[in-house]
Amino acid sequence: MGMPQFLSFRQIANIFVLLFACNVICEQIAAQTLETNLTPNPWTGNLSVSLNSNAEKWNNENHSFSNDYLFGLKRPIGNHALDFSITSSKDLKGERKYEWVNVSTGHTTPTKSLSKVLDLKLKTSLTAPLNEDKRKNETLVSQLTLSPTLSFKLEELGFSGVTLAYRPFVRQNFHQYTVSAEGKSNTERSIRQRLALGFSITDNLSLDFDGSYQRNYTYQGTATDSYALDESISYSFTPAFSCSLGHSNDGSVLAADGRTSNIEFSNIRTSMYYASADFTF
């Protein structure tokens, strides 16, 4: 199962740096907490429900069909924001098992204008797995993610109704063991590059395109690359209710031979088609 993970001097130093940064953040937002507490019901919530299916025939053993849920709460504290979310999923074929997936909490900084056309904000989040496979097979304890967002104000350049954002992240995983119960190397760290492009067709209708490239490092130092593509169309019936239809595909960047590109827009087994409804309250 691999050697248990003990904290190295470098990891301990990183933890102290993180705690110091958290303390600085807390001090920055503490002065704004009283003002927020005086605001009636400062909490906002969201619920997302989606149906997901691949392109395999219904009676094919490889057909996948599931119902996914996300519930989130957000509380502004001055210009900062704290959030909490929990995700779950129900398999609609086979055992039809319902399971919790993740629970996460995070902090988002105020948006900072870097230039006339560029804004920056930073989110730090801590995620704990609720999924049995992640906890028992991979022995995953938690994930710490640092994700800045660079938003380009394209309207300043004459592109009205077009949004462009660069959303990379660095994620550190914490496992009890370096190798899973199945003998596979666990991923210690991930670095992702992500671009999101959106088009507002009308005040209610929008198109969104999302692409990411991710490099994963195991505890043994082995690196693997993966990609993800997503396209969706959304319609907002009200400011608090919207629906989306979309397609996504992801996988390894390289094929099994280690040389040929494996990047595909769609694939009958790995492509997922989804319909979702989002509620804000």
Side-chain angles (χ1 to χ4, degrees):
M1 200 171 193
M3 294 294 293
Q5 283 301 290
F6 299 101
L7 294 178
S8 66
F9 176 79
R10 181 179 179 181
Q11 289 175 317
I12 294 173
N14 287 340
I15 291 173
F16 275 107
V17 171
L18 175 63
L19 291 175
F20 176 76
C22 291
N23 183 61
V24 172
I25 291 172
C26 290
E27 289 180 353
Q28 288 179 341
I29 65 178
Q32 304 174 56
T33 303
L34 179 59
E35 178 182 350
T36 304
N37 287 338
L38 295 176
T39 304
N41 190 23
W43 292 92
T44 57
N46 70 284
L47 175 66
S48 177
V49 182
S50 65
L51 284 171
N52 309 276
S53 173
N54 63 8
E56 295 279 7
K57 293 182 178 179
W58 181 266
N59 58 354
N60 190 300
E61 63 178 7
N62 293 315
H63 180 253
S64 172
F65 190 44
S66 66
N67 202 174
D68 294 344
Y69 306 87
L70 182 149
F71 174 75
L73 291 173
K74 186 175 182 180
R75 177 186 172 90
I77 301 180
N79 294 324
H80 296 253
L82 300 177
D83 64 80
F84 165 86
S85 66
I86 188 167
T87 56
S88 59
S89 180
K90 179 177 176 59
D91 187 1
L92 298 180
K93 296 197 68 176
E95 297 181 1
R96 299 178 179 269
K97 184 179 179 181
Y98 180 88
E99 62 180 3
W100 298 102
V101 180
N102 288 320
V103 60
S104 179
T105 184
H107 165 264
T108 304
T109 65
T111 299
K112 180 177 178 59
S113 180
L114 300 180
S115 69
K116 184 179 179 181
V117 296
L118 190 62
D119 287 342
L120 171 68
K121 64 180 178 180
L122 180 65
K123 180 173 181 178
T124 306
S125 59
L126 181 65
T127 302
L130 302 176
N131 178 277
E132 185 175 354
D133 179 68
K134 292 287 186 182
R135 291 189 294 109
K136 294 186 177 181
N137 179 34
E138 297 183 16
T139 66
L140 179 63
V141 177
S142 62
Q143 297 173 315
L144 181 63
T145 305
L146 183 66
S147 49
T149 297
L150 284 169
S151 300
F152 299 87
K153 295 180 282 188
L154 298 182
E155 65 275 8
E156 297 290 343
L157 302 176
F159 297 96
S160 178
V162 183
T163 59
L164 177 64
Y166 172 55
R167 296 171 178 153
F169 75 48
V170 177
R171 174 173 293 158
Q172 177 69 43
N173 296 322
F174 300 94
H175 294 85
Q176 184 179 357
Y177 296 95
T178 61
V179 178
S180 72
E182 297 176 345
K184 298 179 180 179
S185 296
N186 285 326
T187 299
E188 179 183 19
R189 186 177 297 108
S190 300
I191 301 174
R192 184 187 69 182
Q193 314 294 331
R194 179 185 173 193
L195 275 178
L197 180 64
F199 298 91
S200 296
I201 309 303
T202 68
D203 290 341
N204 303 92
L205 185 66
S206 63
L207 295 173
D208 294 284
F209 302 89
D210 194 299
S212 64
Y213 187 101
Q214 183 167 314
R215 174 156 291 185
N216 304 307
Y217 297 91
T218 67
Y219 287 94
Q220 291 74 29
T222 304
T224 56
D225 295 335
S226 61
Y227 75 95
L229 301 172
D230 187 282
E231 315 83 37
S232 64
I233 180 169
S234 302
Y235 187 85
S236 297
F237 293 90
T238 70
F241 175 60
S242 64
C243 290
S244 301
L245 294 173
H247 161 266
S248 64
N249 188 35
D250 58 50
S252 173
V253 169
L254 296 178
D257 59 15
R259 298 186 301 273
T260 308
S261 173
N262 189 51
I263 298 178
E264 300 175 296
F265 174 76
S266 64
N267 181 287
I268 191 171
R269 290 193 176 183
T270 58
S271 281
M272 296 299 294
Y273 300 88
Y274 60 87
S276 67
D278 296 276
F279 308 85
T280 302
F281 52 89

